[in-house]
Amino acid sequence: MSQYIQYLSHPINIYLLIKRLATEWPQVDKLLDQPTHNKLRLRVNPIENNDLSEAAEGLQNLVNTYQLDIQALANGSVKFWSETDGREIIIQPSDDTHRLTAADCYLIGKQTLIEDYYENAIQWFNETIKRSDNSTTDMLFQSTVAKHMALAYYRLGDYNQIKRLNRSVESRLTCRYLDTTNRPLLRLTRVKVEQMFDKPDIVVFHDIISDREIDIMKQLASRQMARLMTLSKSTVSSGRLSDGSWLEDMDHEVIGRISRRIGALTGVSMNGSELYSVIKYRVGGYYVNHYDVSVYRPFIGELYGLNDRIATWVTYLGDVQSGGATVFPLLDVRIEPRKGSAVFWFNLKSSGLVDYNMMHCGCPVLAGQPKWIATKLMTYRSQQLHKPCLLDKHLFNYV
């Protein structure tokens, strides 16, 4: 019994125990969901996520009250100064299990930020960054940490640090030529790729379509332009202000050639993909926040049908003087329309689950010529050999 008392005498151990119960309890609860275990299940008071938040708040209260060294605490040591004689006191951890992870430091930092202790929150977020390996930690987590740290600096009025944070996140992004060695259709082509976000991937292909191909697409689409309607085609869409038309590969040899090029660039099968949606946004034209999956379900992570839209390709058929950017608000990504370029992303994870980070919108065109785009939506069908389902449902597909 004494070893348990000694274990729980360390504040980090108390936090880690509550964290373990909060994260692992759902699995235990599932095992207890049997008729023979119902009585035991009723006697157990489950630990929930709010308990974990309260544990993080408790650690922060200790830091504020006793002016604990945050870096030492994150490493498992309780370091403070005696109130009687002012000497430094350090309670060393018994082993490395006392160390906090990047996720732990982030949770405590976020709780500290909520309580308006901005300087302490920044220290916790710095410990988060130290524990994050750039090669394995996805950009979504790092950018989320940077957002909260930027908010703390903003409240302190330190705007130079905010600029530094933006540069540090963007430094992970790359511009490169695509390796076309194993892509016969593109083997002699130099394809310029700009990475806009990492995990989930958002990439821009520059100079990927010629002026002649653009002119042909616009000429074909202009013959049947009409105001875009809702999915039921019974009313004008209130979520977008634009005109549109549809093109298919058989309309012109150039259209089929572009489709084959997209398939070679992305590794996605174009069989069963939807028709090109050529859209024209005049001044004031826009498209509100939306997902490109075809069916909306109330529960995040629900598996969709085999014909849902696995990926989106948007070709920019002209420059826009001002406005008209494609924006992913949950990822802080903004892509300006540039003639001849195209942006590509996956809407589904490799398992077929919806990636809810991919909500996006088309900003209103502010001035200049209309914004022209050609959208190609690739479906989940026929991707078995190209983008097979992986056992880890949280993995993403990559270009």
Side-chain angles (χ1 to χ4, degrees):
M1 182 64 71
S2 61
Q3 61 179 340
Y4 301 124
I5 295 175
Q6 182 180 0
Y7 179 84
L8 293 175
S9 65
H10 198 294
I12 293 294
N13 286 344
I14 295 174
Y15 167 82
L16 292 176
L17 179 61
I18 294 174
K19 171 193 168 185
R20 182 180 177 186
L21 289 171
T23 55
E24 296 182 5
W25 176 254
Q27 300 176 23
V28 177
D29 188 54
K30 186 180 295 185
L31 294 174
L32 291 176
D33 191 16
Q34 304 291 336
T36 55
H37 298 142
N38 280 340
K39 290 183 179 180
L40 175 61
R41 190 183 185 195
L42 291 173
R43 290 199 296 268
V44 176
N45 185 22
I47 300 293
E48 299 177 347
N49 285 335
N50 60 323
D51 296 292
L52 183 58
S53 298
E54 290 175 359
E57 182 181 353
L59 271 180
Q60 180 50 36
N61 287 336
L62 292 177
V63 171
N64 293 335
T65 303
Y66 299 104
Q67 298 299 303
L68 301 183
D69 186 299
I70 290 177
Q71 182 177 357
L73 188 62
N75 289 320
S77 301
V78 180
K79 180 179 178 181
F80 61 101
W81 286 262
S82 172
E83 296 180 355
T84 55
D85 55 14
R87 63 188 178 89
E88 185 180 74
I89 300 175
I90 301 178
I91 302 176
Q92 297 286 1
S94 57
D95 52 54
D96 289 340
T97 60
H98 292 73
R99 286 176 56 86
L100 296 177
T101 65
D104 295 326
C105 293
Y106 169 67
L107 176 63
I108 299 169
K110 190 166 67 170
Q111 191 66 42
T112 306
L113 182 62
I114 292 173
E115 297 175 15
D116 299 335
Y117 293 102
Y118 305 124
E119 292 180 351
N120 283 353
I122 291 170
Q123 291 187 59
W124 281 114
F125 292 138
N126 276 324
E127 291 302 316
T128 303
I129 294 172
K130 289 179 184 177
R131 287 159 169 74
S132 300
D133 183 354
N134 282 344
S135 62
T136 57
T137 306
D138 62 63
M139 188 177 175
L140 182 58
F141 177 70
Q142 289 200 347
S143 63
T144 302
V145 174
K147 283 182 194 176
H148 285 90
M149 189 183 287
L151 178 58
Y153 279 124
Y154 176 78
R155 297 286 172 81
L156 293 172
D158 193 342
Y159 305 115
N160 289 329
Q161 290 294 339
I162 297 176
K163 295 178 181 178
R164 179 187 63 81
L165 283 171
N166 289 336
R167 289 194 297 268
S168 67
V169 173
E170 292 172 355
S171 66
R172 289 192 57 176
L173 303 176
T174 61
C175 292
R176 68 186 190 277
Y177 284 103
L178 186 69
D179 183 4
T180 59
T181 306
N182 298 317
R183 308 179 194 224
L185 186 64
L186 305 170
R187 189 164 294 168
L188 301 179
T189 308
R190 292 177 66 84
V191 180
K192 293 180 284 186
V193 181
E194 181 180 1
Q195 187 180 30
M196 305 302 296
F197 204 85
D198 178 35
K199 299 181 184 178
D201 272 3
I202 302 176
V203 295
V204 172
F205 296 91
H206 291 286
D207 302 322
I208 204 62
I209 183 172
S210 69
D211 288 348
R212 176 178 176 273
E213 291 170 328
I214 289 174
D215 291 339
I216 289 174
M217 291 194 83
K218 292 170 72 171
Q219 289 171 10
L220 293 173
S222 297
R223 299 172 184 174
Q224 45 186 346
M225 276 283 175
R227 177 70 187 275
L228 290 176
M229 313 293 282
T230 58
L231 287 177
S232 64
K233 298 184 178 180
S234 59
T235 58
V236 173
S237 172
S238 60
R240 74 162 45 160
L241 180 58
S242 60
D243 298 322
S245 178
W246 302 94
L247 295 179
E248 53 185 321
D249 290 356
M250 65 180 64
D251 287 337
H252 196 284
E253 61 176 358
V254 164
I255 308 301
R257 185 193 310 156
I258 294 172
S259 294
R260 291 191 295 274
R261 188 182 309 155
I262 294 173
L265 286 166
T266 63
V268 177
S269 172
M270 303 304 287
N271 293 332
S273 61
E274 297 185 12
L275 303 181
Y276 285 96
S277 177
V278 181
I279 306 171
K280 178 181 179 182
Y281 295 91
R282 303 178 190 275
V283 172
Y286 64 92
Y287 197 174
V288 297
N289 287 333
H290 64 284
Y291 296 96
D292 282 344
V293 289
S294 59
V295 182
Y296 290 89
R297 303 279 178 89
F299 300 107
I300 292 179
E302 186 168 349
L303 188 63
Y304 280 51
L306 290 178
N307 201 33
D308 212 337
R309 297 156 172 173
I310 187 175
T312 298
W313 173 284
V314 178
T315 307
Y316 296 107
L317 304 180
D319 296 316
V320 178
Q321 179 180 339
S322 184
T326 303
V327 174
F328 295 78
L330 300 181
L331 302 176
D332 283 344
V333 172
R334 177 187 179 91
I335 302 161
E336 299 290 344
R338 180 178 174 183
K339 186 178 182 179
S341 66
V343 58
F344 173 77
W345 68 87
F346 284 97
N347 301 303
L348 305 180
K349 300 181 182 180
S350 62
S351 59
L353 299 173
V354 176
D355 186 349
Y356 280 84
N357 294 306
M358 307 315 293
M359 181 176 71
H360 57 283
C361 67
C363 292
V365 176
L366 180 58
Q369 297 295 319
K371 168 188 170 184
W372 284 80
I373 63 172
T375 300
K376 188 70 167 176
L377 297 168
M378 291 82 118
T379 56
Y380 201 70
R381 183 187 299 164
S382 303
Q383 305 301 335
Q384 293 88 341
L385 300 178
H386 298 265
K387 296 293 177 183
C389 179
L390 302 178
L391 293 178
D392 189 339
K393 65 181 181 182
H394 298 295
L395 291 178
F396 298 93
N397 287 285
Y398 298 103
V399 175

